[in-house]
C-alpha cells in the first residue's frame, strides 16, 4: 500500500510540474487584456450573413453611423433604394428592411441620418448603398453591450470575407477610414 | 458615373468645392449651428469584471473542496451548484468556461500569433490544480454545465458495466478531435456543440436547443450524461483525480460494510469490495500482461495508420479546405454547365479577397498534409486509450471497502448522506443506526 | 419536521412537465413561422416597388406597399418577441419542474440492495464490447478514409498542375490562336502579312526608335498619351450616315470602350464581355479582320468582376511597339500577343478592387509596359518586361482608385511617367519606378489623365479643380481654377493654350501660363472621348458620335462637325490620310 502511495505522490508531483510548465509556456504569449470580436469594416462585403449566423436574434452586429464622415446628403445612398425618384420617407423608398434609419431635416439641402439600433438587424443593405454612392459613413460593427463574446464567434466561422477577428477589448472598434475616438480621419 | 448623382452633387458642392477633404461628399458646415450626434460607442465588458470571474472561480472551488472534504455536506454542494448555475451559467452566459478553454490553450500552444488572455489560462489551469489535490470538486458544484445536469437528476438507472465502458470511449474521441481542430485553427467544436449554452443565453440555433433538450431529458434518467460520456475536460479531470491527494471518502472513519451507500451513487462511481480470489492463476495473469504489451502498441499503430488515412475526411472541417472544395466544385459546375451560374457568397467573398485559386489550393493541400500528422496522432491516441481501457478491465483489484472511484466520482456528496457514520456521532449511535437498517 | 405532501408535488411535476411540453411545441411552431419571415429579401415588396417605379403616379400601389411593409415588419418583430417571452416562460416552468422533482425526492432514502454483478464476467463482457466498438470505429474510419482517399488533396493538386500545364501548352503551342475566316479565304493576303512581320522581325531591336513611334499610333492618345500627334492629310469632312469619305466600317464582335491603336497597316482593338476577352487586328486599308485572339490565361479568375455598363470589361486601350501588342482587361488579365496574334506571355495581376471597372490604358516606355494599377487595395504602378511579362519594378502608391491613364513625357532633362489619382499628381522615373515628385491637388474619382506641355502639367477632376503644375527643381502649383472641371475626358495642352473638355458638353480654353480663360463654348452633347490635337486642329468626339473639329487658338473657330451615325465614347486614332473612330459597335475608317 505504501509503495502505491509513493507512486501516486510521484505522479502527482510530476503532473503538477507539467501543469506549471504548461502555464509558463502559455504565459509566454499571453495578453493581460481581454479579447472581443469585431468586424473589420475594410473587409466586410455586406453579404448579409450577420443577420442569420449570430447566435443571438437579432444579431449583435449593427450598423453604426459615423457622422464625422457623413455628407448629410439629401439623396442618401444608404437610405433610399437606388431607383427612388421622390425623396420622401415612404416605405417604398426606404432601403432599410426594418425602418431602422431615421432621416431628419437640418437645413437646406442637408439631412441627418440616425440608426435605431433596436430595429437594426445588421443586414448591411444601407452600408452597401453608402459605400457605392456616398462616403462610406455607415459601417457594420459588433455591438459589445449585446455581444456575449462567444469563445468561437459563430459569424466568424460563416463570414465569407474573413472579416471577423479578435481585437483587444480596449480598442474594440474596427472602422474604415475613421480612428473611432475623435473626429480625425486616418490617412 | 451615375448622371443623377453628378447633377445633384454639382449643385450641392459648388460652394464647398475648395474645402479640401478626402471625402466624396465633404461634411457640410452648417449655418445654423447644428449639433452633431455623438458616435454611439459600445464598450466591451470591463476587464475588472473578468478578473472578478476568476476570483469567483477560486472562491467557488475552495468552498466546494471545503464543503466536500471537511464539512462532508451534500446540502452545501447543492446550494453551491445552484449559485454556480446562476452565476457562471445564467449571468455569465456560459462563456468562457473551463471546458472550452482547452481549445484556447491548444490554439495558443500551436499558434504563436494567438495571444491567450490570462483569465482564460486561469480558467483552464485552476480546476486542474484543485483536482490534483481534492478530486473533481470543480464538477461537483462549480461547473455550470455539471450543475444544470445535477439538479435535474430524477430517477437514475444503473447502466450496465459494458455500456458504460463503451460510452467512455466517446470523451477520448471528442477530446482528441477538439484538440486537433483547435491546433489547426479550424474550429472550436466544443463550443459549437455545447448543449447547454443555449439555455444559459435563452437564445441559440435550433439544433443547439434540440441537442440541449435531448441531454436534459435523458439526464433525468441517466445522471449527468454530458459529464460522463462526452465532456473532454471531464476526461482530463478524471485522469488527474486518480492521483488526487485528498479525495472525498464515503466513510469518514472506517467502513462498517453496511452496504447502505451501495446504490446511492447515480453515476455508478462507487467501487464495491472485491475479493482477491479471482486472480489466483499466475500463468493466466502473466499471459494476459504479455498480451496487453503486444496489444497496446499494435492498437496505437492501427489507430495511427487509420487516422493518417482519414486526413481528407478530418480536414473537411477546416474553413480553408472547405472554401477550396467549394471553389473546386463551383469550377466543375461551370465547366459542365457552360452558362453562368449565380455566384454564391463564398465564391464571391473569395474573389474579393484577391487570392488566386492556385494559392488557395496550395494552402488547402498544405493543410490536408498537416492533417496527416494530426490524424495519425488522434488515431494513435485513441488506440492507446482503448488499449488502456482494456488493460484496466483486465486487472482485478482487491478492495475491502466501499470507495468512490477516484476517476469517475464527481464529489457530489450524495453517498455521504447514506453513510451512517458521521464524524460527530459516537459509536453507539452508529451501531443503533446500523441495527435499525438491518 | 412536517411531512411533505408528496402527492401535491407529484401533481406539480406532471402539470409542469405537460405545460413545458406545450410551450415547447408552441415555440417550435412559432420558430418555424419566424424563420420563414425574412425582412431582408422581401420578394413581394420588391416586386411591388418595381411596379411602382414603372408607374410612379399610382398612389393606391404606394399605399399598398406601405401597408404590407408595416404588417410584415410588425409580424417579424412580434414573432421575435413571442419567442423571447416563450423562452422565459419555458425556463420558469422548467425551474418549477426541477423544484417539484427535487421535492418529491426529498428525504427519500430507500435503500435497495441489488444482486451484485460478478466483476469477472462484467469486466469480460465490457472488454468484449470495447473491442467490438473499437472494431466499429476502425471500420467507419477505414470506410470514410477509403471513400475519400486523398480525394480532396488530389483534386487540389490536380487543379494546380492544370494551371502549370495550360501555361506550358500556351507556350509550346502558339498556333492555337483562332484565325479569322476571311484571312483563310484570302491566302495571298495572309502571305503579305507574314512577309511584313518577318521583315519586321529581321531588323527587330528590343524596342522601337522614336522615329518609328512617331510614324505610328502606338497607344491611347498617341505618343506618350499626351494627345498631340503629327499626321498628314487628315480628313476634315465625313459622314458616317451618308458614307461620305468612308473607307470602311466593320462590326467589332465584342464590345469595349478602348480606343483603336495603329502600327503599320494594322489597327488593334479589344473587346470583352463577362466570359470572353478578345483582341482584334484589322487591316487599315480594307477593314479586313486579320486575326482575333481569344485570351486564355492561367491563374485568371473563373468569372469576371462586376463592372458598370458604362465602363465594361475592356475599357483600357491596347499598346503596341510593333513587335507585340499588349492588352489588359477588367479581371486583371494582362498579355502580349505577337503581330500574328500568338500569345507571347500572359499573367493575371490579381483581382481589381474597382467598382466601375478597370480603365487605365497601357503605355510603353522602351522595353517596359507601364501599368497604372490604382485599385482599392494596394494601389501601385508597375513596369513589366515587354518580352517576358516579368515585373521590372513595382511602386506602391497611397492613392484611391483612379480611372485615368498614365502619360509618359520628356520634361526636358528626363522622361517622366505622370499619373493622376486622388489625392495627388505624381511623377515616376520610368527606369526605376522611383517617385520624382508629387503634389496634392486632386481628389475624387479621378477619370481624366494629366496633360503636359512646355514644362507644365495640367490635371483636373470633377468636384476638385483644374491645376497647372510648373515643373522644375521644385514642382509647384502655377495656377488653379474651379470654374470648369472634367469628369471623363482628359485636357489637352499646347505651349500657349490649355483646352478643357467637360463631360457635360462645355469646352473652355485657358492661357497655359496664366490660367486666364480665353473662351468657352457649350456643345449640345456631352463628351467622354478625349480631344486630340492634329495639325493645329482639335478633334473632339461627343457621346452622340459627332466629331467637332476646331482651331487650337485663342478664338473659338469651328471647322466642321462630322456625324458618325452611332454613339461613341472612344477617342479617335490617326494615320496618314485616315481617321479611325470606334463607335459603340462598329469601327470606322474615314479618309479621302
Amino acid at each position: 500500500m505504501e509503495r502505491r502511495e509513493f507512486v501516486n505522490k510521484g505522479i502527482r508531483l510530476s503532473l503538477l510540474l507539467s501543469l506549471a510548465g504548461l502555464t509558463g509556456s502559455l504565459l509566454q504569449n499571453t495578453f493581460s487584456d481581454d479579447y472581443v470580436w469585431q468586424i473589420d469594416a475594410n473587409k466586410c462585403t455586406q453579404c448579409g450573413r450577420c443577420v442569420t449566423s449570430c447566435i443571438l436574434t437579432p444579431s449583435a452586429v449593427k450598423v453604426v453611423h459615423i457622422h464625422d464622415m457623413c455628407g448629410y446628403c439629401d439623396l442618401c445612398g444608404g437610405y433610399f433604394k437606388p431607383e427612388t425618384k421622390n425623396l420622401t420617407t415612404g416605405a417604398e423608398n426606404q432601403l432599410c428592411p426594418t425602418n431602422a434609419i431615421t432621416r431628419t431635416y437640418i437645413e437646406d439641402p442637408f439631412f441627418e441620418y440616425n440608426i435605431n439600433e433596436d430595429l437594426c438587424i445588421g443586414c448591411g443593405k444601407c452600408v452597401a448603398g453608402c459605400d457605392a454612392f456616398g462616403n462610406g459613413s455607415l459601417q457594420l460593427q459588433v455591438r459589445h453591450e449585446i455581444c456575449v463574446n462567444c469563445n468561437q464567434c459563430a459569424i466568424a466561422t460563416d463570414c465569407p470575407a474573413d472579416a471577423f477577428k479578435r481585437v483587444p477589448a480596449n480598442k474594440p472598434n474596427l472602422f474604415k477610414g475613421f480612428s473611432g475616438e475623435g473626429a480625425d480621419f486616418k490617412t | 458615373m451615375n448622371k443623377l448623382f453628378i447633377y445633384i452633387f454639382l449643385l450641392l458642392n459648388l460652394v464647398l468645392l475648395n474645402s479640401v477633404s478626402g471625402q466624396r461628399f465633404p461634411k457640410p458646415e452648417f449655418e445654423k449651428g447644428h449639433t452633431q450626434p455623438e458616435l454611439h460607442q459600445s464598450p466591451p465588458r470591463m476587464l475588472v469584471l473578468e478578473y472578478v470571474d476568476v476570483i469567483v472561480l477560486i472562491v467557488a472551488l475552495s468552498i466546494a473542496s471545503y464543503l466536500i472534504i471537511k464539512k462532508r455536506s451534500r446540502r452545501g454542494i447543492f446550494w453551491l451548484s445552484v449559485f454556480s448555475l446562476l452565476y457562471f451559467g445564467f449571468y455569465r452566459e456560459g462563456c468562457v468556461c473551463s471546458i472550452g478553454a482547452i481549445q484556447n490553450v491548444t490554439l495558443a500552444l500551436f499558434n504563436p500569433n494567438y495571444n491567450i488572455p490570462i483569465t482564460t489560462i486561469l480558467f483552464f489551469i485552476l480546476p486542474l490544480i484543485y483536482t490534483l489535490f481534492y478530486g473533481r470538486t470543480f464538477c461537483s458544484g462549480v461547473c455550470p454545465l455539471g450543475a444544470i445536469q445535477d439538479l435535474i437528476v430524477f430517477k437514475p438507472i444503473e447502466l450496465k458495466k459494458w455500456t458504460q465502458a463503451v460510452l467512455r470511449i466517446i470523451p477520448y474521441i471528442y477530446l482528441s478531435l477538439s484538440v486537433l481542430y483547435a491546433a489547426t485553427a479550424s474550429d472550436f467544436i466544443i463550443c459549437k456543440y455545447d448543449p447547454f449554452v443555449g439555455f444559459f443565453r435563452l437564445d441559440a440555433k435550433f439544433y443547439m436547443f434540440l441537442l440541449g433538450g435531448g441531454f436534459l431529458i435523458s439526464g433525468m434518467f441517466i445522471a449527468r450524461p454530458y459529464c460522463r460520456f462526452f465532456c473532454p475536460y471531464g476526461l482530463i479531470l478524471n485522469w488527474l483525480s486518480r492521483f488526487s491527494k485528498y479525495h472525498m471518502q464515503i466513510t469518514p472513519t472506517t467502513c462498517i460494510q453496511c452496504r447502505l451507500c451501495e446504490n446511492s451513487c447515480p453515476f455508478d462511481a462507487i467501487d464495491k469490495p472485491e475479493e482477491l480470489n479471482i486472480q489466483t492463476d499466475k500463468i493466466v495473469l502473466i499471459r494476459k500482461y504479455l498480451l496487453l504489451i503486444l496489444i497496446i502498441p499494435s492498437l496505437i499503430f492501427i489507430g495511427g495508420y487509420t487516422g493518417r488515412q482519414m486526413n481528407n475526411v478530418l480536414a473537411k472541417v477546416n474553413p480553408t479546405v472547405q472554401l477550396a472544395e467549394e471553389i473546386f466544385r463551383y469550377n466543375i459546375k461551370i465547366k459542365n454547365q457552360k452558362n453562368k451560374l449565380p455566384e454564391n457568397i463564398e465564391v464571391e467573398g473569395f474573389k474579393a479577397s484577391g487570392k488566386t485559386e492556385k494559392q488557395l489550393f496550395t494552402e488547402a493541400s498544405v493543410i490536408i498534409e498537416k492533417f496527416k500528422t494530426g490524424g495519425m496522432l488522434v488515431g494513435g491516441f485513441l488506440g492507446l486509450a482503448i488499449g488502456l481501457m482494456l488493460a484496466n478491465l483486465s486487472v482485478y483489484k482487491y478492495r475491502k471497502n466501499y470507495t468512490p472511484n477516484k476517476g469517475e466520482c464527481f464529489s457530489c456528496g450524495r453517498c455521504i448522506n447514506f453513510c451512517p457514520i458521521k464524524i460527530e456521532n459516537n459509536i453507539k449511535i452508529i451501531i443503533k443506526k446500523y441495527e435499525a437498517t438491518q | 419536521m412536517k411531512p411533505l405532501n408528496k402527492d401535491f408535488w407529484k401533481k406539480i411535476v406532471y402539470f409542469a412537465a405537460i405545460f413545458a411540453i406545450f410551450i415547447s411545441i408552441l415555440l417550435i411552431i412559432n420558430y418555424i413561422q419566424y424563420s420563414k419571415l425574412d425582412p431582408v429579401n422581401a420578394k413581394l415588396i420588391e416586386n411591388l416597388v418595381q411596379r411602382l417605379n414603372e408607374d410612379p403616379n399610382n398612389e393606391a400601389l404606394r399605399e399598398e406597399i406601405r401597408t404590407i411593409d408595416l404588417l410584415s415588419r410588425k409580424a417579424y418583430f412580434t414573432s421575435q418577441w413571442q419567442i423571447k417571452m416563450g423562452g422565459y416562460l419555458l425556463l420558469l416552468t422548467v425551474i418549477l419542474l426541477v423544484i417539484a422533482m427535487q421535492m418529491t425526492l426529498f428525504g427519500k432514502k430507500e435503500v435497495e440492495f441489488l444482486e451484485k454483478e460478478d466483476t469477472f464476467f462484467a469486466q469480460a463482457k465490457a472488454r468484449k464490447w470495447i473491442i467490438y466498438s473499437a472494431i466499429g470505429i476502425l471500420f467507419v474510419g477505414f470506410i470514410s478514409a477509403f471513400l475519400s482517399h486523398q480525394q480532396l488533396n488530389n483534386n487540389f493538386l490536380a487543379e494546380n498542375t492544370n494551371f502549370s500545364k495550360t501555361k506550358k501548352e500556351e507556350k509550346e503551342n502558339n498556333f492555337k490562336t483562332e484565325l479569322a475566316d476571311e484571312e483563310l479565304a484570302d491566302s495571298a493576303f495572309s502571305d503579305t502579312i507574314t512577309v511584313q512581320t518577318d521583315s519586321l522581325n529581321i531588323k527587330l531591336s528590343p524596342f522601337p526608335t522614336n522615329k518609328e513611334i512617331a510614324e505610328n499610333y502606338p497607344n491611347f492618345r498617341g505618343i506618350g498619351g499626351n494627345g498631340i500627334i503629327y499626321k498628314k492629310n487628315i480628313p476634315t469632312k465625313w459622314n458616317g450616315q451618308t458614307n461620305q469619305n468612308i473607307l470602311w466600317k466593320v462590326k467589332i464582335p465584342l464590345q469595349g470602350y478602348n480606343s483603336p491603336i495603329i502600327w503599320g497597316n494594322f489597327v488593334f482593338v479589344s473587346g470583352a464581355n463577362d466570359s470572353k476577352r478578345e483582341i482584334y487586328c484589322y487591316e487599315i486599308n480594307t477593314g479586313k479582320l486579320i486575326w482575333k485572339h481569344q485570351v486564355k490565361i492561367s491563374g485568371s479568375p473563373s468569372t469576371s468582376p462586376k463592372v458598370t455598363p458604362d465602363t465594361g470589361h475592356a475599357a483600357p486601350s491596347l499598346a503596341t511597339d510593333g513587335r507585340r501588342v499588349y492588352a489588359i482587361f477588367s479581371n486583371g488579365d494582362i498579355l502580349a500577343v505577337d503581330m500574328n496574334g500568338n500569345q507571347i506571355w500572359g499573367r493575371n495581376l490579381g483581382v481589381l478592387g474597382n467598382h466601375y471597372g478597370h480603365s487605365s490604358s497601357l503605355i510603353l516606355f522602351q522595353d517596359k509596359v507601364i501599368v497604372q494599377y490604382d485599385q482599392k487595395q494596394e494601389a501601385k504602378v508597375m513596369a513589366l518586361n515587354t518580352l517576358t511579362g516579368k515585373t521590372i519594378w513595382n511602386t506602391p502608391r497611397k492613392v484611391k482608385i483612379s480611372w485615368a491613364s498614365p502619360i509618359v513625357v520628356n520634361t526636358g532633362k528626363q522622361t517622366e511617367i505622370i499619373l493622376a489619382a486622388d489625392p495627388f499628381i505624381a511623377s515616376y522615373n520610368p527606369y526605376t519606378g522611383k517617385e520624382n515628385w508629387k503634389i496634392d491637388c486632386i481628389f475624387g474619382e479621378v477619370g481624366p489623365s494629366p496633360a503636359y506641355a512646355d514644362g507644365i502639367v495640367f490635371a483636373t477632376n470633377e468636384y476638385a479643380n483644374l491645376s497647372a503644375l510648373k515643373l522644375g527643381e521644385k514642382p509647384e502649383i502655377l495656377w488653379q481654377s474651379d470654374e470648369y472641371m472634367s469628369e471623363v475626358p482628359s485636357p489637352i495642352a499646347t505651349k500657349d493654350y490649355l483646352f478643357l473638355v467637360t463631360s457635360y458638353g462645355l469646352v473652355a480654353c485657358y492661357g497655359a501660363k496664366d490660367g486666364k480663360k480665353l473662351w468657352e463654348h457649350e456643345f449640345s452633347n456631352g463628351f467622354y472621348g478625349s480631344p486630340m490635337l492634329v495639325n493645329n486642329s482639335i478633334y473632339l468626339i461627343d457621346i452622340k458620335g459627332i466629331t467637332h473639329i476646331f482651331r487650337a487658338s485663342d478664338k473659338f473657330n469651328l471647322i466642321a462637325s462630322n456625324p458618325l451615325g452611332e454613339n461613341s465614347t472612344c477617342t479617335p486614332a490617326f494615320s496618314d490620310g485616315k481617321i479611325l473612330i470606334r463607335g459603340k459597335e462598329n469601327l470606322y475608317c474615314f479618309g479621302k
Side-chain angles (χ1 to χ4, degrees), chain B residues 155-396:
Chain B
K155 275 204 162 73
I157 51 167
E158 194 191 358
L159 291 176
K160 289 270 180 273
K161 202 166 180 115
W162 65 268
T163 326
Q164 287 190 48
V166 169
L167 288 174
R168 288 220 170 91
I169 302 175
I170 299 172
Y172 287 98
I173 300 174
Y174 203 12
L175 175 67
S176 51
L177 285 183
S178 58
V179 166
L180 174 71
Y181 288 133
T184 52
S186 302
D187 203 354
F188 279 12
I189 56 169
I190 300 177
C191 298
K192 201 168 179 179
Y193 300 106
D194 183 336
F196 304 115
V197 79
F199 295 110
F200 297 152
R201 292 168 180 160
L202 287 174
D203 204 341
K205 298 270 172 60
F206 191 60
Y207 79 91
M208 279 171 103
F209 276 125
L210 276 187
L211 202 67
F215 268 110
L216 284 186
I217 290 167
S218 60
M220 287 162 68
F221 310 104
I222 303 163
R224 289 202 185 210
Y226 185 79
C227 303
R228 284 157 81 196
F229 306 124
F230 290 90
C231 185
Y233 195 66
L235 182 66
I236 303 174
L237 293 181
N238 181 320
W239 277 96
L240 290 184
S241 177
R242 293 178 196 205
F243 308 103
S244 57
K245 191 162 186 187
Y246 315 98
H247 194 278
M248 180 214 90
Q249 291 301 323
I250 302 174
T251 13
T253 49
T254 348
C255 179
I256 50 168
Q257 306 286 336
C258 67
R259 292 184 70 195
L260 285 176
C261 63
E262 202 177 74
N263 285 303
S264 65
C265 185
F267 317 112
D268 307 317
I270 295 179
D271 286 333
K272 293 164 186 120
E274 259 349 309
E275 281 109 49
L276 203 56
N277 60 2
I278 306 168
Q279 46 173 336
T280 39
D281 198 344
K282 239 184 182 164
I283 302 154
V284 173
L285 219 136
I286 289 166
R287 229 176 35 210
K288 240 174 211 162
Y289 273 109
L290 273 175
L291 200 67
L292 275 175
I293 288 165
L294 284 175
I295 271 181
I296 291 181
S298 58
L299 273 174
I300 294 174
F301 178 77
I302 294 170
Y305 178 76
T306 318
R308 200 180 158 82
Q309 296 302 311
M310 279 174 74
N311 67 334
N312 277 280
V313 186
L314 294 171
K316 278 188 184 180
V317 173
N318 187 284
T320 314
V321 176
Q322 273 175 3
L323 180 65
E325 204 184 352
E326 188 97 19
I327 303 277
F328 181 77
R329 276 211 210 108
Y330 183 77
N331 286 351
I332 288 179
K333 263 191 211 160
I334 284 182
K335 256 182 223 162
N336 294 346
Q337 300 215 349
K338 297 281 179 197
N339 53 348
K340 210 176 167 224
L341 283 167
E343 292 210 350
N344 66 23
I345 294 177
E346 260 74 26
V347 177
E348 257 173 42
F350 166 67
K351 286 193 175 147
S353 73
K355 236 192 233 172
T356 63
E357 286 183 14
K358 192 174 176 179
Q359 267 174 312
L360 177 74
F361 286 142
T362 317
E363 244 172 63
S365 24
V366 168
I367 292 172
I368 293 176
E369 281 302 306
K370 263 192 202 165
F371 267 91
K372 262 189 190 163
T373 327
M376 195 168 76
L377 291 173
V378 166
F381 173 73
L382 286 180
L384 174 70
I386 288 173
L388 286 178
M389 282 172 99
L390 283 177
N392 223 356
L393 284 169
S394 315
V395 178
Y396 306 98

Side-chain angles (χ1 to χ4, degrees), chain B residues 17 151 263 312 343 351 393, chain C residues 102 112 123 150 303 463:
Chain B
L17 269 171
L151 293 180
N263 285 303
N312 277 280
E343 292 210 350
K351 286 193 175 147
L393 284 169
Chain C
Q102 294 294 338
E112 318 164 51
Q123 291 200 356
Q150 307 305 346
T303 50
Y463 323 125

Side-chain angles (χ1 to χ4, degrees), chain B residues 2 18 31 35 46 62 70 79 81 104 174 191 218 224-225 232 262 286 300 302 329 367 376 385 410 414 420:
Chain B
N2 185 321
N18 275 338
E31 287 159 21
T35 45
M46 276 195 296
S62 310
K70 265 268 151 65
W79 288 113
S81 61
N104 302 55
Y174 203 12
C191 298
S218 60
R224 289 202 185 210
E262 202 177 74
I286 289 166
I300 294 174
I302 294 170
R329 276 211 210 108
I367 292 172
M376 195 168 76
F410 293 117
R414 280 187 177 82

